[in-house]
Amino acid sequence: MSRVCKMSKNVREVFRLDELKDDIRRNMVALLGNDPRSKRKFSYYNALAYSVRERLVDLWMRTQSDYYDSMAKRVYYLSMEFLPGRFLMNYLTNMGIVDECREIVAELGFSLEELEEEEWDAGLGNGGLGRLASCYLDSMVSQNIPGYGYGILYDYGIFYQSIVNGNQEERCDNWRRHGCPWEITRLDTLYEVKFYGRSETYYDSDGNVRFRWVDTENVMAMPCDILIPGYGCSHVSNMRLWTAQSSREFNLSDFNRGDYIGAMHGKVMSENITKVLYPNDQFLQGMELRLKQQYFLVSATFQDILRRYLKQHTSLAALPEAVAVQLNDTHPAIAIPELMRLLMDVYGMGWDVAWDICTRTFAYTNHTVLPEALETWPVDLLGRLLPRHMQIIYEINRRFLEGVAATFPGDTERLSRMSVIQEEGGQRVRMANLAIVGSHTVNGVAALHSNILQTGLFRDFHEYYPRKIRNVTNGVTPRRWLMQCNPALSRLITQSIGPEWCCNLEKLRELVPLAEDSAFRDAWARAKLENKRLLSRYVLRKVQMGINPNTLFDMQFKRMHEYKRQLLNVMHVISLFNRIKDNPSADITPRTVLFGGKAAPGYYQAKLIIRLINEVARVVNADADVAGRLRVAFLPNYCISQAEKVVPAADLSEQISTAGMEASGTGNMKFALNGALTIGTLDGANVEIMEEVGAENIFIFGLKAHEVAEKRRSGYNPREFYENDAELRRVMDMIGSGFFSPDERGLFSPVYDSLMHHGDYYMLMADYRPYMEAQAAVDALYLDQDQWVRKSILNAANMGKFSSDRSVMEYARGIWHVEPLGK
Ligand code: AZC
């Protein structure tokens, strides 16, 4: 912390702020070829971005030489997704120069906020998994843990969602169309990545049988770095994102034959690898291109890791002492056979030595137990694309199963469950099994989830490797998710308890006594109201709808998925609507219910629920009896920059997944950190949030994870709830009969049927009444503003545990075995 305070004293000097204005003008001319007298916001945003970035390059190089000089062990966070959002404000926040910059920009005739709005989000991820990776990079570098993120620079990130006639429509997210000032492209560094071909044996000079991978089709990987400044900027790291380039010798023979277009076709095809992010959240779409992307990331990254390592070491034997690789889910798990291949085929090691190095290098994080998300690849596909890897996987599996068979003699069922190769329904490679076998540590992302891994999904593995599967509860960075996104609240907190909280979130506990101070409560409520006003203006701009900041802002923002149960929230909205219609003079707590989230383009049911939300909104918002008491809106294109506006303005955070299905959740943490009260099930990290904030400060309802499992076993009958609950029956009948879709009566039948006729897998019917009761408690509490604000303060005050600084430190000490540099 002293580092941060020291920094802010001489921040003008360190970052040469006196020269910033001139630099912006200079970059307008030199880099952008624009006249500084033009008042184009986009050009000024770019000129500012370049001028900010160039102030970090020195610090970044110094950080890199610190790493080299200290021979520090490095962490490599391998992820198919990063979700950084916008960079400008994050750089300024972490550099501690937001206010200074605001003044300078004002002198140029702009507000900082309007320039900020010129930046397009870097949406290189789907949701939680990618955003977690970005939070972890922020926390690693802010705590001087030497580490890098490695990923893919997709030309098209997560699609842009618009709502047309109530339906989701996808547009491509060509986010770098106008360039991206944060990228540093390394045109001179290229690695070759191989695909296809075959594995052949040969004898080396000592007469040993060796393998080599030949007749391959090659693609080049070019790195692009984006700097990641730590808070206070004593360290600056980077993410290295790969982009595919055609290899130069590609199809030379076609050229020679005069087939110019044929040769170019190959070039274009190979560059397709990094074109587009697969837009599925927790659903495996087993496409060859996706596996190519995964191996492309892994192969390029390992060439880079070994190059860096071999600059300082002569033997690979000490790799695990210098390198820790974290696999963000199984997406990069092909790294395990890849490292084996490199160690054996390229560096000549024997199997046992190579395997020992491998298993001491890798750790794997699991982010979901949803069966449709678990990756398996057909053996013939994997074997065709990566023939040598397939051989290695077979051999890993053979040796592994030998060990299992020795421990559990005669238990063939167990062998077939644990095998890396799934036999039934055509041979497939189970990537989770491969990741577990090849890693020294496997972790879940919240206590409940890790427990489910140990006793459910990975139970056999937990019995075989009793210390391998552990928990590291997720966290979020307080820099972006409080300091940056919520200046009003941050200011109040800093005035009250000092600035240390942003690097030591546990400090927020000092707010606890202030919850009893009515002047502080008033100030807290004013900050919330200010944020609600800002959001109201945004909603008006976005969807041309006025919302009243004095109503309860009830928010559910996350990917659209049946298990997350946006539908349950809609059922509550319909119930409120009916109550108002039945009794127009009823005294009810005025609410604004806001939704946001993308559905995977092929996920029919999730898209239909978006439509339902919009149709319910149409009916509710047009009704004169309801006016002023209930309003509903779906905000299109939920993304990081939208979250930064939504999160600070929430009164109520909806975290209502079927218990046992949300691995952790991180939105739940962001909302509570910003003073929202949570209504939620005992799922994922909600369990730990309740432990921290106290059961009296959170609205918990519904089935628990073991009860869901028990009900599934013993037979669950959703109709029973329908028959015994008139209010629920009415809601279901309205959905099923076309009340919300008068022009297309059957439109929502699939929604109705999923609950009434197809078993209600996510148990909405069972949780409806408990949810309604919890919502009634919300309404009652909101009428007592003093108590509500008190609880709001206590929520934020007790969120210290959910800083990603804490999570990253647990990984560092317990899994990566690295210490912060300079300690
Ligand atoms: C998500 C989980 O659904 C969410 O609960 C968790 O908080 C987040 O990861 C970060 O750990 N999972 C994903 O986004 N995707 C996959 C494939 O699990």
Side-chain angles (χ1 to χ4, degrees):
M1 190 57 231
S2 53
R3 165 173 50 93
V4 173
C5 298
K6 239 186 287 155
M7 189 71 178
S8 50
K9 275 195 207 114
N10 59 2
V11 80
R12 292 201 79 85
E13 240 169 82
V14 175
F15 292 119
R16 294 177 285 107
L17 291 183
D18 300 335
E19 298 160 34
L20 183 61
K21 204 190 324 175
D22 288 339
D23 289 341
I24 294 173
R25 293 207 183 98
R26 175 177 53 78
N27 281 330
M28 274 291 273
V29 178
L31 289 179
L32 302 166
N34 268 319
D35 184 342
R37 283 169 303 185
S38 97
K39 286 291 163 203
R40 288 183 52 202
K41 282 189 229 164
F42 182 69
S43 304
Y44 268 94
Y45 151 69
N46 271 290
L48 171 61
Y50 282 115
S51 310
V52 169
R53 193 190 86 180
E54 67 192 20
R55 284 166 164 69
L56 289 179
V57 175
D58 245 17
L59 287 167
W60 176 66
M61 291 192 294
R62 233 182 293 162
T63 304
Q64 299 310 304
S65 33
D66 270 8
Y67 293 175
Y68 273 103
D69 296 347
S70 57
M71 300 271 285
K73 180 168 182 177
R74 268 91 151 182
V75 178
Y76 292 93
Y77 201 85
L78 262 63
S79 182
M80 287 290 284
E81 304 187 16
F82 288 91
L83 205 38
R86 291 173 174 163
F87 292 101
L88 176 62
M89 277 301 201
N90 190 243
Y91 275 50
L92 300 182
T93 302
N94 283 8
M95 291 161 85
I97 60 169
V98 175
D99 292 337
E100 288 84 350
C101 205
R102 178 172 285 113
E103 278 171 35
I104 292 164
V105 165
E107 290 166 24
L108 291 165
F110 298 100
S111 77
L112 193 52
E113 284 66 29
E114 69 183 344
L115 294 192
E116 183 190 14
E117 288 299 319
E118 292 296 304
E119 181 170 1
W120 201 261
D121 279 42
L124 309 180
N126 276 284
L129 171 145
R131 181 57 231 176
L132 188 78
S134 287
C135 282
Y136 283 1
L137 294 187
D138 181 275
S139 284
M140 268 192 249
V141 62
S142 294
Q143 297 180 106
N144 300 352
I145 303 226
Y148 308 90
Y150 273 84
I152 291 182
L153 187 69
Y154 302 103
D155 291 331
Y156 300 96
I158 186 67
F159 63 86
Y160 186 93
Q161 176 196 54
S162 38
I163 301 297
V164 179
N165 299 328
N167 292 312
Q168 166 173 302
E169 284 190 3
E170 301 94 29
R171 312 248 151 93
C172 68
D173 166 59
N174 197 353
W175 68 289
R176 286 152 77 234
R177 174 171 67 240
H178 302 296
C180 168
W182 310 105
E183 295 173 14
I184 303 177
T185 306
R186 308 285 175 194
L187 293 164
D188 55 343
T189 310
L190 284 175
Y191 294 114
E192 196 170 64
V193 177
K194 302 175 178 185
F195 295 104
Y196 305 108
R198 62 198 167 79
S199 170
E200 74 175 16
T201 49
Y202 68 101
Y203 291 98
D204 67 12
S205 49
D206 300 329
N208 301 315
V209 178
R210 302 276 301 272
F211 293 85
R212 64 185 164 213
W213 184 12
V214 297
D215 295 341
T216 53
E217 285 179 26
N218 302 340
V219 179
M220 307 307 289
M222 187 173 76
C224 179
D225 292 328
I226 297 185
L227 303 186
I228 309 287
Y231 187 69
C233 280
S234 67
H235 284 76
V236 178
S237 188
N238 63 284
M239 10 178 219
R240 178 155 272 205
L241 304 178
W242 300 104
T243 155
Q245 307 282 305
S246 64
S247 92
R248 234 175 307 154
E249 79 270 27
F250 210 84
N251 268 346
L252 215 54
S253 56
D254 283 345
F255 270 121
N256 295 339
R257 264 190 276 117
D259 186 4
Y260 176 76
I261 295 294
M264 291 304 285
H265 178 74
K267 178 177 159 64
V268 171
M269 292 309 283
S270 60
E271 292 183 354
N272 273 349
I273 293 180
T274 53
K275 271 278 176 282
V276 54
L277 165 76
Y278 277 86
N280 304 310
D281 187 57
Q282 310 192 43
F283 180 80
L284 170 75
Q285 204 179 345
M287 310 281 275
E288 177 165 332
L289 181 60
R290 168 75 175 183
L291 184 59
K292 269 191 174 172
Q293 291 182 334
Q294 296 181 345
Y295 180 65
F296 182 77
L297 162 64
V298 160
S299 166
T301 301
F302 266 86
Q303 293 182 62
D304 212 34
I305 293 175
L306 296 190
R307 173 195 58 83
R308 191 173 289 131
Y309 172 88
L310 289 170
K311 275 197 212 169
Q312 291 193 299
H313 302 82
T314 47
S315 144
L316 282 161
L319 190 75
E321 279 77 60
V323 168
V325 177
Q326 191 67 34
L327 303 173
N328 200 21
D329 217 284
T330 56
H331 314 151
I334 196 72
I336 292 164
E338 171 67 358
L339 183 57
M340 286 300 284
R341 183 186 73 83
L342 292 168
L343 296 176
M344 296 189 305
D345 298 0
V346 179
Y347 295 98
M349 288 182 178
W351 183 280
D352 292 330
V353 178
W355 185 244
D356 179 60
I357 292 174
C358 240
T359 49
R360 288 192 294 127
T361 300
F362 290 109
Y364 150 56
T365 305
N366 172 283
H367 294 269
T368 184
V369 296
L370 296 194
E372 61 270 30
L374 297 182
E375 287 192 302
T376 62
W377 291 103
V379 163
D380 45 342
L381 167 60
L382 203 151
R384 197 162 42 77
L385 190 68
L386 304 167
R388 178 65 182 127
H389 298 77
M390 195 60 242
Q391 281 183 328
I392 293 171
I393 291 169
Y394 273 130
E395 183 60 14
I396 291 172
N397 194 38
R398 192 187 65 75
R399 291 172 184 244
F400 164 65
L401 290 181
E402 234 173 55
V404 178
T407 311
F408 302 99
D411 194 345
T412 51
E413 297 261 305
R414 183 183 293 264
L415 287 182
S416 82
R417 288 196 305 266
M418 294 179 79
S419 174
V420 175
I421 309 293
Q422 173 187 312
E423 300 287 345
E424 60 278 14
Q427 282 201 325
R428 298 177 78 95
V429 181
R430 294 167 169 152
M431 299 308 271
N433 297 27
L434 177 64
I436 300 170
V437 175
S439 299
H440 56 83
T441 305
V442 175
N443 77 285
V445 289
L448 174 70
H449 168 61
S450 299
N451 196 266
I452 289 172
L453 293 182
Q454 292 175 342
T455 57
L457 190 61
F458 297 155
R459 182 192 177 137
D460 293 319
F461 289 95
H462 187 52
E463 285 166 8
Y464 186 57
Y465 303 119
R467 276 181 304 279
K468 200 182 269 207
I469 302 174
R470 295 201 248 153
N471 177 246
V472 180
T473 298
N474 282 169
V476 300
T477 169
R479 271 75 65 183
R480 185 179 288 260
W481 294 112
L482 182 51
M483 187 177 227
Q484 179 188 333
C485 74
N486 197 343
L489 199 62
S490 301
R491 227 174 292 130
L492 175 62
I493 294 173
T494 300
Q495 278 163 13
S496 314
I497 63 168
E500 281 84 3
W501 59 270
C502 73
C503 288
N504 177 4
L505 203 61
E506 295 284 353
K507 284 259 176 197
L508 288 184
R509 269 241 162 84
E510 292 172 19
L511 294 172
V512 168
L514 293 172
E516 311 309 324
D517 171 341
S518 73
F520 183 79
R521 282 201 302 271
D522 288 348
W524 188 272
R526 275 197 303 277
K528 181 60 80 183
L529 187 61
E530 184 180 329
N531 293 327
K532 290 169 74 174
R533 289 208 174 101
L534 287 173
L535 183 72
S536 305
R537 264 179 248 149
Y538 172 81
V539 171
L540 188 61
R541 267 201 320 276
K542 264 275 175 197
V543 295
Q544 290 74 51
M545 183 197 290
I547 58 173
N548 179 357
N550 294 309
T551 59
L552 187 162
F553 277 16
D554 171 348
M555 317 269 215
Q556 190 169 19
F557 284 75
K558 48 181 80 247
R559 284 299 287 249
M560 299 297 301
H561 206 296
E562 287 164 282
Y563 85 81
K564 293 178 189 277
R565 301 199 296 190
Q566 282 93 351
L567 179 55
L568 186 59
N569 190 344
V570 178
M571 289 159 68
H572 170 246
V573 169
I574 299 173
S575 310
L576 288 184
F577 172 78
N578 289 338
R579 286 182 189 182
I580 296 171
K581 292 304 286 179
D582 289 351
N583 184 2
S585 59
D587 195 15
I588 81 143
T589 305
R591 280 197 195 226
T592 303
V593 185
L594 299 175
F595 293 86
K598 295 176 183 176
Y603 190 170
Y604 175 79
Q605 199 76 0
K607 288 176 127 175
L608 193 56
I609 290 166
I610 293 180
R611 177 72 188 267
L612 177 63
I613 293 169
N614 284 309
E615 296 308 325
V616 169
R618 187 181 47 74
V619 171
V620 167
N621 298 341
D623 193 294
D625 293 337
V626 172
R629 304 195 257 167
L630 182 59
R631 242 175 174 345
V632 184
F634 185 95
L635 302 188
N637 200 43
Y638 184 50
C639 57
I640 300 299
S641 57
Q642 188 180 89
E644 288 165 7
K645 299 178 173 73
V646 161
V647 165
D651 292 310
L652 185 66
S653 155
E654 300 269 354
Q655 307 298 336
I656 57 177
S657 51
T658 315
M661 308 207 77
E662 187 71 271
S664 160
T666 44
N668 47 3
M669 301 168 187
K670 292 163 198 164
F671 279 106
L673 179 61
N674 283 271
L677 272 60
T678 303
I679 183 164
T681 47
L682 281 178
D683 198 13
N686 296 354
V687 176
E688 290 156 83
I689 292 176
M690 181 188 77
E691 286 165 9
E692 294 297 302
V693 306
E696 66 288 5
N697 297 316
I698 186 169
F699 302 94
I700 295 293
F701 71 93
L703 295 170
K704 299 176 182 54
H706 70 91
E707 293 167 341
V708 169
E710 173 53 31
K711 260 194 162 27
R712 285 216 178 111
R713 263 195 305 274
S714 62
Y716 163 63
N717 179 14
R719 275 206 90 89
E720 201 180 289
F721 298 93
Y722 174 88
E723 269 144 25
N724 295 325
D725 189 327
E727 194 172 22
L728 170 61
R729 191 158 61 240
R730 183 165 164 204
V731 169
M732 291 309 298
D733 290 347
M734 286 165 80
I735 295 173
S737 67
F739 183 87
F740 299 104
S741 53
D743 298 335
E744 208 182 329
R745 294 249 160 221
L747 181 64
F748 298 119
S749 308
V751 173
Y752 178 88
D753 290 345
S754 74
L755 306 195
M756 296 293 293
H757 300 309
H758 305 316
D760 181 22
Y761 186 74
Y762 301 100
M763 299 194 178
L764 286 80
M765 304 291 274
D767 274 347
Y768 170 81
R769 185 50 52 193
Y771 179 55
M772 290 297 293
E773 282 162 10
Q775 288 285 20
V778 168
D779 285 332
L781 185 71
Y782 198 74
L783 293 177
D784 183 351
Q785 270 297 302
D786 243 21
Q787 276 306 314
W788 182 279
V789 176
R790 211 182 131 260
K791 286 179 195 281
S792 164
I793 297 167
L794 291 177
N795 266 266
N798 288 303
M799 289 302 288
K801 173 174 176 184
F802 303 101
S803 167
S804 46
D805 294 345
R806 188 267 315 147
S807 315
V808 157
M809 243 20 207
E810 285 183 20
Y811 280 98
R813 304 234 150 97
I815 297 178
W816 303 331
H817 305 294
V818 293
E819 279 294 315
L821 215 69
K823 287 207 177 149

